[in-house]
Amino acid sequence: MRVSKYFLPTLKETPSEAQIASHRLMLRAGMVRQEAAGIYSWLPLGFKVLQNIEQIVREEQNRAGAVEMLMPTIQPAELWKESGRYDAYGKEMLRITDRHKREMLYGPTNEEMLTAIFRSFCRSYKELPKLLYHIQWKFRDEVRPRFGVMRGREFLMKDAYSFDVDEAAARRSYNRMFIAYLNTFARMGLKAVPMRAETGPIGGDLSHEFIILADTGESAVFCHKDLVDMPAPGLGVDFDGDLQPLVDERTALYAATEDVHDEAAFMEVPEDKRLSARGIEVGQVFYFGTKYSEPMRANVTLADGSEQPVHMGSYGVGVSRIAGAIIEASHDEDGIIWPMAIAPFKVGIINLRQGDEATGAACEEAYTALVEAGLDPLYDDSDNRAGAKFSRMDLIGLPWQLIIGPRGLKEGTVEIKERASGERQNLSLEAALNLLRSKNVSAI
Ligand code: ATP
Ligand code: MG
């Protein structure tokens, strides 16, 4: 992409309404625009980031054996009356009446709808297990939408739902999602710690929240320090094998959110390993048994001919919140620092002398080579001064900058800068391109 053809409305001033770094930087980098409290447009740069996050989530769901589908944003109220949650959900639910005076709602989550889908097609234990997910916008009329996309009212979520014959089988589905989440967040460069959590309005008795440690996080959390740097299981995990030991490794050490925190158990953690911190919830997994299948009569026939409500779990990832969470975890005073896997463009090309023939030709050559290498470059071919190009490139946080100007070219070199470390090297154009090609991997 060329800056001259792109839509990149970056801001020079720091917006006063933004209280935390990620919100400020998303506005300054021209990623989002607020349309109403907690409701955002995703401008082109932000939309690319959102799509990259979504794609990693999708790949890891698929790898874990979940099957993608799509449910609507608008749901009929009847389903929620069946489960008993229509009144219980309270003011967070956006209620809508259509022209026939039918009660509808903008879905805050989809347990009821998927339970209804399941019961209309699946009747026998032979069809189990089933693990389905979608990535869809949700609406929750939060009392205090804030921190930009981190606590929005309209937000993008991946939500998966599992159906199993009994509790033991349901735990295997739970473990699949648990391990998939560790890999998902690791691919995004995030250290997400699974912590025991309360189940809230979803209900049930087993739940973990995946938490990124950050001072600006809204949750108070307590955990064993060793959990923070524990490596993810990796993409070679056999999801059809026994995942329990991998899960146990993470759940043996103390980690809990404020709501279920047990001070006595925490005191048993050696003092130098005790971490009490703040965090951002990027995902949550629940096993809730027959909480919805029982009232909604989602039954399956077992081998002995008896009928039982199906055992269920649900598994959410805050896709749009993660855009903010990554920036919270990875920025400096100059701007965002994207991990390679999430970066909206992997390389920024800076033309130091727009209009100079040799510089233009070298930039074009680099641009073509990087496009061919799949590195999706953003070429700043604008008439801005070099200083303005530098600061804008730092602000939008592309992992690599390729800086090309007449002085270097005379000596046969271009400059390459790594955004994260600030390290610069002068190399021939060919060597610089080779270096960039070698970085085009999404690490875990
Ligand atoms: P929170 O405690 O932050 O309100 P929640 O526990 O109500 O979140 P879940 O029902 O677990 O949320 O939803 C799954 C995921 O969706 C969360 O882990 C979070 O990442 C994301 N999420 C929830 N509410 C919001 C919101 N208002 N804005 C953006 N993302 C959200
Ligand atoms: Mg939650």
Side-chain angles (χ1 to χ4, degrees):
M1 181 55 66
R2 293 161 202 274
V3 165
S4 59
K5 299 210 166 59
Y6 203 45
F7 184 71
L8 186 62
T10 51
L11 307 175
K12 283 208 184 62
E13 297 79 34
T14 301
S16 58
E17 74 269 27
Q19 301 164 32
I20 60 170
S22 58
H23 188 194
R24 278 196 295 275
L25 289 170
M26 285 182 83
L27 293 170
R28 284 194 53 212
M31 290 177 63
V32 293
R33 190 182 105 100
Q34 183 177 304
E35 303 301 349
I39 300 177
Y40 290 86
S41 288
W42 290 77
L43 304 175
L45 192 77
F47 187 51
K48 283 197 99 179
V49 167
L50 192 66
Q51 286 179 309
N52 290 345
I53 295 168
E54 185 180 323
Q55 188 53 23
I56 291 177
V57 170
R58 174 176 291 118
E59 285 171 17
E60 297 314 314
Q61 288 295 295
N62 295 347
R63 197 191 306 276
V67 179
E68 189 170 14
M69 61 181 292
L70 185 60
M71 289 174 270
T73 54
I74 307 290
Q75 307 184 14
E78 281 83 64
L79 284 179
W80 290 68
K81 289 181 179 165
E82 274 191 63
S83 73
R85 276 209 295 184
Y86 190 59
D87 294 325
Y89 218 94
K91 289 191 169 166
E92 287 215 343
M93 182 183 276
L94 180 64
R95 294 153 207 264
I96 305 161
T97 310
D98 73 9
R99 64 162 71 195
H100 304 294
K101 305 225 159 28
R102 275 192 286 257
E103 291 176 287
M104 315 290 281
L105 58 99
Y106 196 123
T109 178
N110 284 57
E111 280 79 9
E112 282 79 359
M113 185 168 280
L114 202 52
T115 304
I117 291 170
F118 178 86
R119 77 176 169 197
S120 66
F121 298 111
C122 298
R123 301 276 151 76
S124 160
Y125 74 98
K126 289 181 188 156
E127 290 167 84
L128 301 177
K130 283 280 171 284
L131 191 44
L132 296 159
Y133 76 98
H134 73 159
I135 300 172
Q136 177 62 293
W137 294 91
K138 304 288 185 283
F139 196 94
R140 294 183 186 174
D141 204 352
E142 302 271 356
V143 198
R144 283 187 69 197
R146 58 191 181 143
F147 302 154
V149 299
M150 293 244 261
R151 181 160 303 281
R153 292 198 295 167
E154 191 183 43
F155 60 96
L156 189 61
M157 196 203 282
K158 182 287 300 181
D159 38 326
Y161 302 85
S162 63
F163 299 86
D164 283 280
V165 68
D166 56 21
E167 178 170 350
R171 282 192 178 244
R172 287 196 287 277
S173 297
Y174 187 90
N175 290 348
R176 272 178 194 261
M177 286 296 111
F178 190 105
I179 298 301
Y181 278 27
L182 293 174
N183 284 342
T184 301
F185 297 126
R187 278 188 65 187
M188 298 174 185
L190 291 172
K191 292 177 184 175
V193 182
M195 306 208 184
R196 279 299 296 233
E198 203 168 60
T199 52
I202 307 285
D205 48 31
L206 172 63
S207 180
H208 287 90
E209 281 180 11
F210 287 72
I211 304 271
I212 308 297
L213 300 179
D215 293 338
T216 47
E218 291 187 279
S219 322
V221 295
F222 305 85
C223 75
H224 192 295
K225 276 189 182 153
D226 289 358
L227 284 169
V228 180
D229 291 310
M230 207 178 259
L235 305 184
V237 168
D238 172 13
F239 277 96
D240 294 320
D242 184 10
L243 299 173
Q244 197 61 49
L246 286 174
V247 172
D248 289 346
E249 226 172 65
R250 264 102 189 151
T251 51
L253 297 178
Y254 187 85
T257 61
E258 193 171 26
D259 301 332
V260 297
H261 177 54
D262 173 352
E263 188 66 17
F266 189 49
M267 286 304 138
E268 282 169 30
V269 175
E271 201 180 341
D272 61 324
K273 295 286 186 186
R274 261 177 240 154
L275 183 65
S276 106
R278 300 200 67 79
I280 301 165
E281 177 194 334
V282 287
Q284 188 166 10
V285 291
F286 302 88
Y287 163 66
F288 45 74
T290 59
K291 181 181 151 93
Y292 300 94
S293 53
E294 219 171 288
M296 294 184 69
R297 305 178 130 274
N299 295 334
V300 285
T301 316
L302 304 186
D304 65 8
S306 67
E307 255 194 26
Q308 286 281 331
V310 69
H311 283 250
M312 292 176 58
S314 71
Y315 314 90
V317 169
V319 174
S320 49
R321 175 179 287 182
I322 287 171
I326 292 174
I327 298 174
E328 231 21 75
S330 183
H331 69 271
D332 62 15
E333 62 279 7
D334 297 326
I336 302 167
I337 304 171
W338 291 115
M340 198 66 171
I342 300 298
F345 300 94
K346 311 305 176 195
V347 185
I349 303 170
I350 296 177
N351 182 332
L352 288 180
R353 181 85 52 84
Q354 206 63 42
D356 177 72
E357 205 172 306
T359 308
C363 287
E364 288 298 334
E365 186 187 339
Y367 182 77
T368 307
L370 292 171
V371 169
E372 275 168 10
L375 278 156
D376 201 6
L378 179 68
Y379 171 21
D380 192 343
D381 60 346
S382 68
D383 291 329
N384 290 339
R385 283 180 303 108
K389 290 187 181 183
F390 288 140
S391 52
R392 184 147 87 156
M393 213 44 104
D394 280 349
L395 172 64
I396 66 172
L398 309 185
W400 295 94
Q401 296 173 13
L402 187 58
I403 302 155
I404 304 180
R407 215 182 304 159
L409 285 178
K410 261 189 206 124
E411 282 151 33
T413 64
V414 297
E415 191 177 24
I416 191 162
K417 175 180 155 185
E418 186 180 18
R419 175 67 181 88
S421 64
E423 259 170 46
R424 295 160 179 278
Q425 292 181 59
N426 288 311
L427 298 170
S428 70
L429 179 57
E430 202 41 50
L433 292 173
N434 282 335
L435 180 89
L436 292 171
R437 285 189 195 104
S438 76
K439 302 290 179 187
N440 191 16
V441 280
S442 83
I444 187 156

